[in-house]
Amino acid sequence: MYNKQVIENGNKWYNQWMTVDHAREPVFLDVLNTFNDQPVDILEIGTTYDKDDPQAIKGAGFSTFYWADYIKQFGGSLTIVDINPIAIENCILMIGDFIKAGVDVRFVCGDGLDWLKKNNDYQLVYLDGSDKEYETFEMFRLI
């Protein structure tokens, strides 16, 4: 059964993730536990746009920690797609502890909808990259 695992001497974002109460955590844990501790390939569209915003710490982009932590424990891969290069840079810094631990992470600076049109071989797709309903619906339709 998946539960968050401690990384000794984690960076400041990892430590915040471990200590802040995330409202969506029960959902993330339930979803990840459907994979029964088996390797999983995860696609996340949209990531952290502001790594140092106190409000972002409670949600925006912190889903990435759950995916990386699960993969660290049980295997698989994580692909993160965001159109904003700053968001990609933020994410690389934030989950650096997982990267150092050997988690298979691929970063793509590009449009999530375009990526899904060509790459759709994931067991879990987390859509968090658009504020426009029609774009999210188009991505959902492609899954």
Side-chain angles (χ1 to χ4, degrees):
M1 177 168 205
Y2 169 69
N3 283 301
K4 291 176 9 180
Q5 190 177 64
V6 174
I7 293 177
E8 295 298 323
N9 301 314
N11 68 33
K12 71 177 185 177
W13 300 285
Y14 170 82
N15 291 330
Q16 289 169 341
W17 172 66
M18 285 298 289
T19 58
V20 171
D21 183 30
H22 300 276
R24 290 177 267 172
E25 182 170 306
V27 174
F28 294 150
L29 295 177
D30 284 349
V31 167
L32 289 168
N33 279 316
T34 66
F35 295 104
N36 298 312
D37 303 344
Q38 297 299 308
V40 62
D41 296 319
I42 300 172
L43 170 63
E44 178 179 65
I45 297 179
T47 193
T48 305
Y49 50 86
D50 187 348
K51 66 185 179 348
D52 294 314
D53 178 358
Q55 291 306 309
I57 291 164
K58 294 182 179 178
F62 276 72
S63 56
T64 312
F65 283 93
Y66 292 93
W67 318 142
D69 189 50
Y70 181 93
I71 292 166
K72 179 180 177 288
Q73 292 181 52
F74 304 111
S77 67
L78 174 59
T79 301
I80 300 165
V81 179
D82 199 296
I83 202 162
N84 183 338
I86 293 171
I88 294 291
E89 290 173 21
N90 288 343
C91 190
I92 291 168
L93 286 172
M94 292 174 68
I95 66 165
D97 293 324
F98 292 101
I99 295 167
K100 288 176 193 169
V103 172
D104 182 4
V105 183
R106 177 180 185 184
F107 297 94
V108 178
C109 187
D111 183 85
L113 184 58
D114 291 340
W115 182 261
L116 267 175
K117 288 177 182 176
K118 299 174 187 165
N119 306 277
N120 199 0
D121 193 29
Y122 300 94
Q123 289 81 44
L124 173 61
V125 178
Y126 185 67
L127 301 177
D128 196 21
S130 179
D131 295 326
K132 298 174 182 141
E133 294 87 5
Y134 70 91
E135 286 179 352
T136 303
F137 178 73
E138 282 301 308
M139 286 186 250
F140 179 77
R141 194 178 59 75
L142 290 170
I143 296 173

